[in-house]
Every structure is written in C-alpha cells, then in structure tokens.
Amino acid sequence: MQLRNIAIIAHVDHGKTTLVDELLKQSGMFRDNQRTSERMMDSNDIERERGITILAKATSVVWHDPHSGQDTRINIVDTPGHADFGGEVERILNMVDGAIVLVDAAEGPMPQTKFVVSKALKVGLKPIVAVNKIDRPDARPDEVINEVFDLFAALGATDEQLDFPILYGSGRGGYMAEELDGPKNEGLAPLFNLVIRHVPAPRVYPGPFSMIGTILEADPFLGRIITGRIHSGTIKPNQSVKVLSPTGELLENGRISKILAFRGLERQAIEEGAAGDIVAIAGLQKGTVADTFCDPAVNEPLQAQPIDPPTVTMSFLVNDSPLAGTEGDKVTSRTIRERLLKEAEGNVALKIEESHDKDSFYVSGRGELQLAVLIENMRREGFELGVSRPRVVMQQNEAGEMLEPVEEVVIDVDEDYSGTVVQKMSERKAEMVELKPSGGDRVRMVFYAPTRGLIGYQSELLTDTRGTAVMNRLFHAYQPFKGEMPGRSNGVMISNDNGESVAYALFNLEDRGPMVIDAGVKVYQGMIIGIHSRDNDLEVNVLKGKKLTNIRAAGKDEAVKLTPPVKMTLERALSWIEADELVEVTPKSIRLRKLYLDPNERKRFEKSRNNAAAE
C-alpha cells in the first residue's frame, strides 16, 4: 500500500480539526450507524471546552482512488494553531512530507499561520493551500490567495514551494474543489487526490532501525508510549533497541513490548513497522522527545529540529495560605516537583528550574496561555499551589546589553476604536509597522511590542473596544530593553482578618471599588477581596456585620443588594496581579493574595524595594 504523511497547519479557529473530522468520515473509517462527536481529535477536556488544539495528534485514513483502483494510507497530523503550543509543531514537522495550509477565506493568513508555515518551508515541506469557509458572506478568496503568496515569498519559499496547488471549499460543509465555483458533490475527493499527487512518498533511508521520538504520552497499561516516524529499517515486537540522546550519549537499552499504528481514531497493535510509517512504540523507561530510538548497531543520533527558547517564566510555589490543604490533596513540594518534571519530559517548549530553598520552581514557556493550561490541568488533578505573575525571560548580547523578547501583534478592530488601541499600545512601548483596512469598517494594525507590555493587555483591549477587537501575537525577535513599563493603575483592597465575608460589610465597601469575591466566602488576612478605585492598597474589614438593637425603624430594613463581583478567570488573574501578589490555585477556587500576608512584612518588603530602586 502506498503511504503519504501530511500535517494540517492553520491559525486558531480556521477549521483544522473540523476538516480532519470530515476526512475521517469521508474516507470510510466509520460505520454508517457509528456515533461520532464533533472535533474528534480534540480528546483533552480543556481542548473541548476552549475549542483550541493544544496537543499534536496523529491519525490515518485509507483512500481508495476509483480511477487507479489503488489504496493509499494517509497519515494526518493535526497541529495546534496557537503559537504558545509551537513546541508541538516544531517537533512533528520531522514526521511529514507535505502540509495542507488551511486559510480562512475572510481573515486570510494570520500570525500563527505565519509561524508554523515558516517552520514547514524551512524543513522543505511541499504546501497545499486550502481556502476554507468560502461560504462566509464576507469571503474574499482572491485577495487571500495573493496574501498567502506574499507570505510564502517573504518567508523565503523556493520556486517549487511557491508553485503551490489551491483548493477552495468548506471543512464544515465537507467539500473542496479546484475552482472557486467548482462542484460541491465530490466532497473531499479532490483534496485526497491532490495529496496523493502532490505530496511525495516518504523517503526511506538505508540501514537498521532508527526513529526520532516526537510525541510522548503515558498509558496506564503500556507505560511510556513514544510516537515518531521510522527513519530507516523495520521494527518488530520484542526487538532489542537502544536510546541515544541528541548529543549521542547512551541513555538506555531495552526491548520493544508493543508497536501501535494509527487506524482512524484507534491505535492497533501491528507485527512490524516499516520505514516511512508513523508508529507508536512502548516498552522503554527513559527515552523521551528528540531522542533517537535505534538498533544496537547504530551509533550516531538523528538530528532533531531546533526548538525556539521559552520567553515567559513564572514561579510555582507551595501553597502557604491559612486555607492550604482544605480543597486539594496534592500540596507538597515533592508532588509538585514530580508533576512538573513529568510535564517537561513530553513538552519540549517547557523549562523547569528549582529555587535554592526547594519550595518553589521557575517554569518557563512560550506564553501565558501555555502556562495557564498547565496550571488548569494541575488543579483538575487535585493540586494546590501559588503562582506568581508571568515575567519575561531576558537575554544578554555579547556587548553585555540587556535584550527582551518582542512580539509581532496583529489587532483587527472597528475603525471607531482604532485611536484608543494605538494610544494604549504606544504606552506599552509598541511600534506600529502597518495599518490597513480589512473590510466591513474594520482595520488591521500590526505592531512590534515588548512581551512585558502585552501581559494583561488582552482583557483591557476587550474593555476598550466593547469586545470587538481580535488580537493575535507571535514571537518576533530579541531586541534591546525598551525601558520601564507603566504598571496597574489601581490598588487593591485586602482583608485584615480571617473568617467569612459578610454581605453588609461588602455593601459598605462598594464605594471604594468593585469586589472580586461574593458574600459567604472564606477569607484570610492578606487576601485580595476587591479592586481599589485609587492607586494605593487599602486594608479593610469584610467580616463586620450590622449592629442589632432592640429599636426598630419605621420602615422595614431593606435586604442588602450587592453588585455582582468581578469574576477572575485563571488567565485574567495571572495577567492582572502585580509582582508582590500571587494567585492561589486550588481544585475549587482561584484566590488573589499578597505575597506577604502579614501587613508588617509587606511594609518591610516595600521599604527594601524602594531603597533598591533609589540606589
């Protein structure tokens, strides 16, 4: 049977996973009466809730060409569209020979598309451009194709890569055609046939078995499962193999207990894996992503793709609040350390470092979203921890000059709000590089902005533009330090005692600013309960009830009506807090607190910080 390996590349929400659903259905992988769900490849709970792909996943379909009568197995890798999860993308490009670049017919190529496409073109993949959602009323397919061509040229594509085939269609509608007004009744057959014609068969190298680990996962029955494309030779169950690190160091010797191949959404055990195919192997204890799994006769490791460095870091601390251990069962530094190291094994874009006191860990990644997803997964597993505000990872050049990460930011917004956006971005030391209309009284602005200034800007942008703006970010380069950045303009209201918040006390504090907690919530000294309307912090009593007397008023006492509090989601809380504050994360709650709960310690910390700034 012929073999093809392809990746599907697209920006967030341009319809990758929906297209994979249709490819699986139309290739006959399911029975007619088999129950299927939407976005079948999004197997993770958070992926389903947020509608984004976080982990790269492989599947395969068999396509029967009615003209030649030949069957072809097509291995498809669904890649994340968000640059925060780019580490997944960089690894999987080793496994494939071609890529379907899926572009929205209205929005055109977006920053995340640019990020993945640049990686794919460098590796030499042959692209197929599929213009998706052409049934949208604001579709502009001809302009989008020109934008894609310009993007490929700007990214240094070869002449062969620039001569890409184009398809038009709708993933949700389940059809693709070679012409804009082509027939819809052929379904996705034109896409399948184009993949077989345009994407080369996988190259088979001479020599014994070798493979680079690309995706790592844990299975309760089989242990560690490593997925990758077989570079050369064949592999059978019970065969002896060894694992080499990227530098050539021997990590372990072992035997393969099981070889699994992707068949639709299932993984089936097979008796032999051959060069060119994408398989998963089990039975090894230490081998991980980017390591070479090979025959004992092989001595040279295979070269893995270089991984971009992390740009944002956070501190994960043991939860030391008075409510620690009341909602979660995994609270010690040892369990947090084990969980973080396990995560870093499979996620090459993460970097974990222990602090000197062993009570906290520095976790570095590509962006706030990647780290927020890790924290969300941990709290669902029963962990309790304190998390600091994200900080950017600085670098030094040879001249000793401090460099900071700068991102390319694309903001689509209604024309009425463009002035506000430009003003706020300039305050954040951003530099505008492009401004153009994007249709329907909207404009597209492109900025180069320091990552420091963008932390926490998403929620402010949505408030400023009445929820109409769409912001996309992509790491651009390390550039000289841009100077001090304006911080949060509001102070906070801090509880001065331990207990349970009372509606009467909260009602009387509403003049001072909005609350972030409800009545009847457990609070402790040093916990943040509201946003102060001024720029200073204020200690308040939220436990004070109404004084009861035996004298009744002429009118009945009115029931206290509280304004609903500001709901802090995990991402919003992480980007909103200041350097001297933490987010306390438990399976049931997200609380905001000061780093030092005791007011005297806070004053000492503030005094030492001011002295350091003065020097």
Side-chain angles (χ1 to χ4, degrees):
M1 190 185 286
Q2 286 194 45
L3 196 59
R4 297 288 185 275
N5 296 323
I6 59 161
I8 298 189
I9 292 171
H11 180 75
V12 181
D13 233 15
H14 279 197
K16 281 184 313 301
T17 310
T18 306
L19 178 65
V20 175
D21 285 0
E22 284 300 319
L23 289 169
L24 287 164
K25 287 175 189 169
Q26 295 192 23
S27 63
M29 294 307 296
F30 304 117
R31 300 187 312 275
D32 291 342
N33 63 345
Q34 188 169 342
R35 187 178 170 196
T36 58
S37 60
E38 258 196 16
R39 303 198 322 274
M40 290 173 272
M41 296 291 280
D42 283 351
S43 51
N44 179 314
D45 285 347
I46 297 180
E47 289 180 321
R48 288 199 158 282
E49 287 164 22
R50 300 188 183 213
I52 57 173
T53 302
I54 294 170
L55 305 166
K57 298 174 205 71
T59 182
S60 85
V61 300
V62 174
W63 178 248
H64 177 77
D65 186 359
H67 302 298
S68 65
Q70 193 166 23
D71 285 348
T72 304
R73 177 169 302 287
I74 304 174
N75 286 318
I76 302 168
V77 185
D78 184 17
T79 64
H82 203 290
D84 275 24
F85 309 107
E88 296 280 323
V89 177
E90 288 158 342
R91 298 191 322 235
I92 65 98
L93 294 178
N94 286 321
M95 298 203 297
V96 296
D97 306 288
I100 298 171
V101 181
L102 202 64
V103 186
D104 190 298
E107 293 182 5
M110 298 288 273
Q112 324 284 29
T113 322
K114 175 180 174 181
F115 163 76
V116 187
V117 167
S118 67
K119 301 277 180 194
L121 294 176
K122 272 182 199 157
V123 180
L125 300 186
K126 297 187 77 175
I128 293 170
V129 173
V131 181
N132 194 24
K133 306 188 186 181
I134 59 162
D135 45 3
R136 280 181 64 158
D138 54 349
R140 46 185 192 96
D142 293 335
E143 292 168 50
V144 165
I145 289 294
N146 290 336
E147 287 173 15
V148 172
F149 185 86
D150 293 345
L151 172 65
F152 280 24
L155 294 174
T158 63
D159 291 347
E160 190 184 12
Q161 287 171 329
L162 285 172
D163 189 19
F164 52 82
I166 304 164
L167 290 171
Y168 303 89
S170 163
R172 189 175 285 278
Y175 64 88
M176 283 281 167
E178 294 188 7
E179 301 297 331
L180 187 53
D181 47 5
K184 298 180 182 178
N185 57 357
E186 291 181 19
L188 294 174
L191 177 58
F192 281 116
N193 294 329
L194 184 57
V195 166
I196 293 164
R197 284 199 317 271
H198 185 70
V199 176
R203 280 184 69 183
V204 176
Y205 295 86
F209 167 73
S210 62
M211 171 183 115
I212 288 189
T214 307
I215 301 172
L216 172 75
E217 55 200 303
D219 184 277
F221 304 106
L222 298 173
R224 292 162 77 92
I225 296 180
I226 295 278
T227 302
R229 179 167 94 167
I230 301 176
H231 183 79
S232 59
T234 58
I235 182 77
K236 293 180 179 175
N238 219 23
Q239 186 173 325
S240 293
V241 294
K242 68 179 180 182
V243 183
L244 298 174
S245 73
T247 56
E249 180 192 346
L250 176 65
L251 296 177
E252 69 171 317
N253 289 300
R255 285 182 183 277
I256 301 296
S257 61
K258 211 157 206 178
I259 303 167
L260 304 166
F262 296 89
R263 302 290 180 257
L265 294 177
E266 310 278 315
R267 273 199 297 221
Q268 294 175 4
I270 56 172
E271 289 307 309
E272 184 178 52
D277 201 359
I278 295 174
V279 297
I281 58 174
L284 295 156
Q285 304 295 317
K286 294 181 184 168
T288 185
V289 170
D291 290 342
T292 301
F293 298 76
C294 56
D295 190 271
V298 176
N299 294 317
E300 286 296 315
L302 299 171
Q303 284 307 304
Q305 279 293 103
I307 301 291
D308 284 352
T311 55
V312 172
T313 186
M314 274 184 196
S315 299
F316 283 41
L317 303 95
V318 173
N319 185 15
D320 61 353
S321 86
L323 301 178
T326 57
E327 294 177 359
D329 53 5
K330 295 172 183 164
V331 294
T332 63
S333 62
R334 183 179 57 81
T335 51
I336 294 171
R337 179 177 180 274
E338 283 172 5
R339 177 66 180 82
L340 290 175
L341 292 177
K342 182 181 162 193
E343 183 72 26
E345 269 188 357
N347 192 338
V348 288
L350 272 188
K351 189 174 159 202
I352 314 288
E353 292 173 277
E354 263 185 279
S355 67
H356 296 302
D357 58 7
K358 305 285 186 191
D359 261 3
S360 61
F361 306 88
Y362 302 118
V363 182
S364 307
R366 291 284 175 80
E368 302 117 277
L369 180 61
Q370 184 193 13
L371 297 173
V373 166
L374 168 60
I375 297 164
E376 183 63 39
N377 276 323
M378 287 177 71
R379 71 183 282 234
R380 290 181 186 203
E381 292 164 20
F383 282 87
E384 281 195 16
L385 58 153
V387 190
S388 75
R389 177 183 167 87
R391 304 178 300 280
V392 298
V393 178
M394 298 290 199
Q395 289 188 355
Q396 265 191 334
N397 62 10
E398 291 158 7
E401 192 181 16
M402 193 64 80
L403 305 177
E404 66 173 328
V406 170
E407 298 188 24
E408 181 181 323
V409 185
V410 177
I411 299 178
D412 285 292
V413 66
D414 291 352
E415 276 180 17
D416 300 349
Y417 303 116
S418 57
T420 312
V421 173
V422 171
Q423 181 196 338
K424 288 286 176 75
M425 289 297 282
S426 63
E427 285 171 10
R428 289 171 158 73
K429 308 279 194 289
E431 169 194 338
M432 185 189 278
V433 289
E434 194 180 336
L435 171 64
K436 62 179 182 183
S438 59
D441 291 334
R442 285 174 76 80
V443 292
R444 177 172 291 183
M445 293 181 269
V446 183
F447 299 89
Y448 288 151
T451 305
R452 280 182 305 138
L454 297 172
I455 293 173
Y457 179 55
Q458 177 82 36
S459 56
E460 197 176 318
L461 172 71
L462 291 174
T463 306
D464 291 343
T465 61
R466 305 289 187 275
T468 60
V470 179
M471 177 168 82
N472 291 287
R473 301 159 47 173
L474 175 67
F475 175 71
H476 173 60
Y478 269 92
Q479 291 183 357
F481 187 70
K482 308 273 186 199
E484 288 306 312
M485 222 37 98
R488 190 177 68 203
S489 54
N490 294 74
V492 292
M493 287 187 265
I494 307 162
S495 172
N496 65 1
D497 207 349
N498 301 350
E500 210 167 273
S501 58
V502 176
Y504 177 74
L506 293 174
F507 178 74
N508 286 327
L509 288 169
E510 281 187 348
D511 295 345
R512 301 295 182 98
M515 298 295 140
V516 294
I517 62 163
D518 271 314
V521 171
K522 286 182 180 174
V523 297
Y524 51 81
Q525 185 181 34
M527 180 171 153
I528 295 170
I529 59 99
I531 303 167
H532 194 198
S533 53
R534 299 188 179 177
D535 60 0
N536 63 314
D537 292 347
L538 185 69
E539 286 193 47
V540 295
N541 182 0
V542 287
L543 314 178
K544 189 171 69 176
K546 185 175 183 181
K547 293 282 185 289
L548 300 177
T549 68
N550 59 356
I551 300 168
R552 305 295 295 162
K556 257 193 323 196
D557 284 349
E558 289 293 322
V560 172
K561 287 184 181 172
L562 292 176
T563 308
V566 175
K567 288 289 178 199
M568 284 286 181
T569 60
L570 180 58
E571 277 109 278
R572 187 174 178 188
L574 289 173
S575 55
W576 185 79
I577 58 173
E578 286 290 347
D580 64 336
E581 295 162 0
L582 295 177
V583 179
E584 181 189 341
V585 180
T586 75
K588 295 180 185 171
S589 316
I590 291 171
R591 303 186 185 98
L592 306 180
R593 51 164 283 190
K594 285 290 183 182
L595 176 61
Y596 297 103
L597 300 178
D598 184 84
N600 297 320
E601 280 188 29
R602 280 202 297 276
K603 283 173 188 161
R604 279 198 293 272
F605 172 72
E606 192 62 36
K607 192 175 177 183
S608 64
R609 200 164 64 164
N610 291 340
N611 291 343
E615 287 170 13

